[in-house]
Amino acid sequence: MDLLSNLQLAFSVIFQPGNLLFCFVGCLIGTLIGVLPGLGPVATISLLLPSTFHITPVSAIIMLAGIYYGAMYGGSITSILVNIPGEAASVITCLDGYQMARQGRAGPALGISAFGSFIAGTLATMMIMLVAPPLANFALKFGPPEYFSLMFLGLTVLTYLASGSMVKALMMACVGIFLGTIGTDNISGIERFTYHSYTLMDGIGLIPVIMGLFGISEVLLNIDQAARQEIYKTRIANLLPSLRDWKDSILPIIRGTFVGFFLGILPGGGAVIASFAAYAVEKKVSKHPEKFGTGAIEGVASPESANNSASQGAFIPLLTLGIPANVVMAILLGALLIHNIKPGPLLIRDHPDLFWGILGSMYIGNIMLLILNVPLIGMWVKILKIPYPILFPLILLFCLIGVYSVNNNIFEVIIMIVFGIIGYLMKKFAYEGAPLILAFVLSPLMENALRQSLIMSHGSFSIFFTRSISLFLIASALFLLLMPLLPWFRKRPKGGDFD
Amino acid sequence: MKIGIPKGKRMSAALVFGALAFSLVGLHSSPSWAAEKPYPNRPINMIVSYAPASGTDLGSKVMADKVSEFLGQPLISVYKPGGGGSLGAAIVAKAKPDGYTVLVGSVTPLVLSPIVKKMDFQLEDFILLGSYSKIPIWLVVKKDARWKTLKDFIEEVKKTPGGFQVGTYGKLTAADFVLELLNKYAGIKQVNVPFKSSGEAMTSLLGGHVEACILSGAAGHLDAGTARILAAAEEERLDGLPDVPTFKELGYPILMPSIYCFAFPKGTPKQIVDRFQDAQNKAIQKYPKEIKEGLRRVEQWAEFRTPQETLKKFREFQTLSRKMAQELGVEAK
């Protein structure tokens, strides 16, 4: 189909006043819930779903989509300002973003986060426009063996996340793997470590763990350090990224966009994994990896771009194949069904206004979000001036409500509090939370994929090596693992070899 | 010493005491004057034990839309996902039987879960209303697969050493039972590759990673022409799918009633249950076409039965499940 005429269709749909309004509302709501820790797009979209029954499907999806990728903009704000992730996908932004804030560079951090998200979102939309169907078919090629190999690669990348002691990071990863086993095993239907609790039967939720480990623990830590807590350099240097910041960030943004987009398309991938992976990639290719974790702007630019392009990439399987890549897409699929639209390979053909209208709304939505977020940086930065005795109880309140809002389950709130205490102790003793979270997210997926693959191959491990994509991924993982051992990569001290 | 409230503070004290007294009145869970109004006099909580936009959720919304008209009060979806549907069921089993908590019930949480896992509720702890919809479970293959009929499929499985991999949405689910029953009746070996949901299984099928799937729903792939249903575990052929045979007519008596109905906790007064059922009947009477179409859109089929018939079907499934669970060795003691 002619690209230009499609673009024309896209913009003609989005520029209808009703759709523009819904797009704006979606983006606004999305940003707000992204900022609020705990409350996330899933809960919000499912709450707003019934209200979309009486508007046209195009407007409905435009608004709900806006909420989803808008949340990726807002999630970084609290990560940077107070070290508490607003969204699961913003956990990794805490690492460097918060350090930047402590150095008085909250403005540039927020700025690069917003601009990075914008660039990533726009690029992702362009990519969807150009290569959606072939990409979707590529995503279909990922079966259990490919997922296993991908997760295997992901876990090797985990080691790059550690800023401090590698041993401690690996210990935390093991804890994460263990926590991931809790729940009902999908392959056998048997419960593990659930003690017959209905809540634990589905495993420990990601949101309570993240909010506890990063959110509540930070509140506890600050209460602990209240005496010494006088001064962050709240002298805000600039509000916007400098030229130097831009120079440092532009490549990370591009890399983050691609990593995120690719991981977002894969059903089961997602913004969380994308943000971790992008950060790790950045750290690996950086000329000064030791700066990560102390306020390197690349550590903010990359994951924030990744989570935005991942959230938009996730639309591809839904719109081209009718396959939801994550929970939010599943809800959108339900919304489409209710509006009597059958998602599937024929959606683009039968409802071109829907497909191109959504794409058009992504372009406009990203612009709206940039306009929403950048001027507000000055306002957000002032939050740092709120006295902690007022700020932190508020944050605590939002975390508690936010976690409850996910599943209406008070037990999950208790889980969050427990992890809050654990996280506090971890912070005191310098055990990092990021490896734990990555392992916690990846290991159940990996285990499922491993066992499904072995069922498929009747027990033979060769299935991972006879399928080309899987082989490539495993080879990459092994290469990355063995790279430090290879002589070409050993740094030789000036003046010749030793021994 | 005179004990009294100092003059200047009398106004504030009066306000405080007034507020306290007022709140004590409000602490009653429902004002007594409201309890005399006929049921229902406030919105009813509809507990959905799966995630939003799941089959359970969408079907219940179609019904709730029309039933609430005859009840005079809205039915509000409350999501309590967890334990494969058991969390919601457990909550309703223990809820106050005043008619304001109703479960969107189906066979998996109400019948299957208590048998294969240790639950602290069972089918007998619920009062079932008449069923309103069903989601058929069927065997699906890709449109361009080599088998055009179930017979072809079974023949090839018989010839393949080691059997076939067939994707389902989980172990110890209704789909799993269909798979095992087909194995038994056809004398073949299918190995269950469990995925987390029908959607995931379908994705794997389309990607060619499994040969066939037993699942519910096909999310538009049937219409799009990318999937074909070889057989459905139903009593008779489905409305709107005249070309899809049932297992039964092909000689394999496999029936898996995946029916949905509302369920109240045991002990709910009879007149409340009857009132709700009455509203449901009236809604079906007045809007049969809208409800059927609405359900079809979300890939369900209307299945209007009386409470007695529904309970009978659930009981039949219970007997079958107990037998299967024993045979497979998965019964929870």
Side-chain angles (χ1 to χ4, degrees):
Chain A
M1 276 217 83
D2 188 24
L3 194 60
L4 224 44
S5 63
N6 285 333
L7 266 180
Q8 222 178 1
L9 177 60
F11 287 115
S12 71
V13 171
I14 182 62
F15 278 117
Q16 288 164 27
N19 287 340
L20 267 180
L21 179 66
F22 280 113
C23 186
F24 179 72
V25 168
C27 291
L28 184 63
I29 297 180
T31 311
L32 287 175
I33 51 153
V35 175
L36 292 175
L39 197 53
V42 178
T44 316
I45 292 180
S46 52
L47 260 177
L48 288 175
L49 189 63
S51 63
T52 63
F53 290 173
H54 304 291
I55 55 180
T56 69
V58 183
S59 309
I61 303 291
I62 286 180
M63 182 177 85
L64 297 177
I67 296 180
Y68 182 45
Y69 54 80
M72 299 298 152
Y73 274 80
S76 53
I77 296 182
T78 46
S79 303
I80 293 172
L81 291 179
V82 286
N83 206 20
I84 294 177
E87 262 305 297
S90 309
V91 169
I92 205 84
T93 314
C94 292
L95 295 183
D96 279 90
Y98 182 58
Q99 295 305 319
M100 284 182 73
R102 294 183 70 171
Q103 295 158 16
R105 301 229 297 145
L110 289 171
I112 211 71
S113 162
F115 282 110
S117 301
F118 171 71
I119 296 176
T122 310
L123 273 178
T125 313
M126 283 191 219
M127 287 197 274
I128 298 180
M129 207 173 63
L130 296 171
V131 293
L135 264 182
N137 282 314
F138 176 68
L140 267 188
K141 292 212 169 72
F142 271 71
E146 285 73 25
Y147 275 103
F148 171 75
S149 307
L150 185 65
M151 302 296 151
F152 183 75
L153 179 60
L155 276 182
T156 60
V157 147
L158 179 155
T159 55
Y160 299 142
L161 290 178
S163 330
S165 153
M166 181 62 73
V167 175
K168 283 184 174 176
L170 290 175
M171 281 170 66
M172 285 299 103
C174 290
V175 172
I177 294 179
F178 166 69
L179 289 174
T181 63
I182 300 179
T184 304
D185 170 36
N186 199 59
I187 309 284
S188 61
I190 295 179
E191 295 172 43
R192 303 194 279 210
F193 300 113
T194 59
Y195 295 96
H196 294 303
S197 147
Y198 295 109
T199 310
L200 289 181
M201 244 186 245
D202 278 339
I204 304 185
L206 181 62
I207 304 283
V209 170
I210 288 187
M211 288 302 136
L213 225 46
F214 292 90
I216 305 286
S217 67
E218 186 65 20
V219 173
L220 291 176
L221 199 68
N222 276 280
I223 296 174
D224 175 21
Q225 294 174 341
R228 290 167 279 152
Q229 152 241 85
E230 16 29 73
I231 306 80
Y232 288 129
K233 305 215 196 108
T234 43
R235 181 190 66 87
I236 311 296
N238 329 301
L239 283 182
L240 285 179
S242 67
L243 215 53
R244 176 73 204 276
D245 291 329
W246 273 107
K247 195 162 82 74
D248 289 334
S249 311
I250 192 64
L251 279 183
I253 291 178
I254 306 284
R255 282 191 281 260
T257 305
F258 282 99
V259 169
F261 190 67
F262 174 68
L263 286 174
I265 299 179
L266 291 180
V272 181
I273 300 183
S275 60
F276 277 82
Y279 184 87
V281 164
E282 236 14 79
K283 195 166 166 191
K284 184 71 197 147
V285 306
S286 163
K287 295 198 178 56
H288 45 90
E290 66 288 343
K291 284 242 190 85
F292 278 72
T294 65
I297 200 163
E298 299 92 324
V300 173
S302 180
E304 278 305 308
S305 312
N307 68 25
N308 270 74
S309 66
S311 66
Q312 287 182 217
F315 279 87
I316 293 190
L318 178 69
L319 295 176
T320 56
L321 291 173
I323 296 170
N326 56 44
V327 179
V328 173
M329 295 300 134
I331 301 182
L332 290 183
L333 190 139
L336 288 173
L337 283 176
I338 292 193
H339 282 282
N340 206 10
I341 296 183
K342 287 242 153 65
L346 299 180
L347 187 120
I348 303 186
R349 192 193 72 184
D350 293 339
H351 300 276
D353 55 330
L354 178 67
F355 181 78
W356 294 104
I358 295 179
L359 281 189
S361 79
M362 285 183 183
Y363 281 119
I364 304 295
N366 274 299
I367 296 179
M368 282 186 189
L369 283 162
L370 191 65
I371 299 178
L372 263 177
N373 279 280
V374 171
L376 292 179
I377 291 181
M379 186 194 91
W380 291 122
V381 159
K382 292 228 172 62
I383 290 187
L384 284 177
K385 300 227 164 92
I386 299 181
Y388 280 21
I390 299 182
L391 183 62
F392 278 95
L394 271 179
I395 294 181
L396 195 59
L397 183 67
F398 285 127
C399 285
L400 291 168
I401 297 180
V403 165
Y404 185 75
S405 77
V406 178
N407 277 329
N408 296 327
N409 190 335
I410 202 79
F411 193 41
E412 290 198 325
V413 179
I414 297 179
I415 292 179
M416 177 181 76
I417 296 175
V418 167
F419 274 95
I421 299 175
I422 295 176
Y424 166 72
L425 291 171
M426 278 168 61
K427 288 190 179 181
K428 292 288 266 190
F429 291 106
Y431 285 89
E432 294 173 69
L436 192 156
I437 297 289
L438 187 61
F440 177 63
V441 169
L442 284 184
S443 63
L445 298 174
M446 190 165 142
E447 187 201 351
N448 253 339
L450 173 67
R451 293 165 71 194
Q452 281 163 354
S453 307
L454 289 177
I455 293 180
M456 281 166 64
S457 70
H458 299 290
S460 160
F461 277 91
S462 65
I463 193 173
F464 300 112
F465 303 103
T466 52
R467 292 160 70 118
S468 41
I469 299 181
S470 170
L471 180 62
F472 173 70
L473 289 168
I474 294 204
S476 313
L478 288 175
F479 177 66
L480 284 173
L481 273 177
L482 295 174
M483 209 165 72
L485 294 177
L486 294 173
W488 309 300
F489 292 96
R490 277 227 203 108
K491 293 207 178 69
R492 300 204 173 262
K494 287 207 179 87
D497 318 43
F498 44 116
D499 93 325
Chain B
M1 190 160 148
K2 241 181 147 188
I3 299 172
I5 304 170
K7 244 194 181 152
K9 302 256 164 89
R10 273 198 196 140
M11 191 58 182
S12 349
L15 277 173
V16 170
F17 279 113
L20 276 175
F22 194 69
S23 62
L24 278 176
V25 170
L27 271 178
H28 286 291
S29 51
S30 57
S32 50
W33 50 264
E36 283 157 15
K37 275 202 198 157
Y39 168 89
N41 53 51
R42 50 178 210 275
I44 301 174
N45 288 324
M46 193 169 62
I47 309 289
V48 180
S49 45
Y50 292 92
S54 55
T56 309
D57 181 36
L58 296 176
S60 71
K61 282 196 154 65
V62 172
M63 285 307 288
D65 198 27
K66 302 284 181 266
V67 173
S68 56
E69 185 187 309
F70 292 91
L71 281 175
Q73 291 285 342
L75 291 168
I76 304 192
S77 304
V78 177
Y79 300 100
K80 298 273 183 192
S86 349
L87 179 60
I91 289 178
V92 174
K94 297 197 182 70
K96 222 165 95 164
D98 58 3
Y100 290 98
T101 309
V102 65
L103 175 72
V104 181
S106 55
V107 289
T108 304
L110 291 179
V111 175
L112 207 45
S113 297
I115 293 178
V116 296
K117 301 186 191 193
K118 226 173 77 156
M119 296 277 149
D120 48 3
F121 64 86
Q122 19 178 1
L123 181 60
E124 287 67 36
D125 293 325
F126 297 91
I127 302 179
L128 303 177
L129 266 57
S131 71
Y132 56 83
S133 79
K134 67 178 177 204
I135 295 187
I137 298 185
W138 43 38
L139 177 65
V140 188
V141 298
K142 270 168 86 162
K143 188 64 176 225
D144 51 13
R146 340 183 245 294
W147 320 285
K148 299 271 182 298
T149 66
L150 185 64
K151 192 154 150 312
D152 299 338
F153 179 74
I154 290 183
E155 262 170 32
E156 179 156 346
V157 179
K158 276 195 183 144
K159 283 191 269 179
T160 314
F164 257 34
Q165 288 104 24
V166 175
T168 67
Y169 53 83
K171 206 100 175 89
L172 300 184
T173 59
D176 190 25
F177 281 14
V178 169
L179 191 147
E180 297 293 341
L181 281 172
L182 186 58
N183 279 352
K184 194 167 100 161
Y185 289 133
I188 57 176
K189 181 163 181 291
Q190 293 171 103
V191 179
N192 184 349
V193 183
F195 293 94
K196 288 237 184 82
S197 63
S198 284
E200 245 187 66
M202 195 70 195
T203 309
S204 228
L205 175 72
L206 292 175
H209 306 290
V210 286
E211 306 279 8
C213 276
I214 296 183
L215 39 72
S216 52
H221 292 285
L222 193 56
D223 290 346
T226 36
R228 180 189 306 134
I229 306 178
L230 290 182
E234 283 292 314
E235 186 73 51
E236 25 180 63
R237 293 206 176 191
L238 293 157
D239 243 350
L241 293 179
D243 302 321
V244 175
T246 65
F247 281 108
K248 187 162 164 209
E249 68 182 62
L250 295 173
Y252 309 106
I254 305 175
L255 298 167
M256 207 52 61
S258 212
I259 49 181
Y260 289 86
C261 65
F262 291 111
F264 281 105
K266 188 170 69 173
T268 309
K270 187 165 181 319
Q271 67 261 39
I272 291 184
V273 177
D274 287 344
R275 173 92 176 79
F276 197 101
Q277 180 68 54
D278 188 54
Q280 184 175 316
N281 292 342
K282 290 213 177 85
I284 295 175
Q285 235 173 11
K286 184 165 173 207
Y287 298 109
K289 223 162 118 308
E290 287 88 339
I291 295 184
K292 282 200 176 131
E293 261 172 37
L295 287 172
R296 278 299 286 119
R297 262 191 244 160
V298 297
E299 297 193 306
Q300 296 179 25
W301 269 261
E303 176 95 350
F304 304 131
R305 291 188 185 275
T306 67
Q308 293 77 11
E309 284 173 346
T310 310
L311 184 58
K312 183 156 157 283
K313 276 239 166 314
F314 271 64
R315 283 263 158 76
E316 280 170 10
F317 186 60
Q318 197 180 39
T319 320
L320 171 67
S321 305
R322 284 221 173 99
K323 203 163 77 101
M324 292 234 48
Q326 267 165 6
E327 268 175 42
L328 296 172
V330 292
E331 188 166 14
K333 289 289 172 254

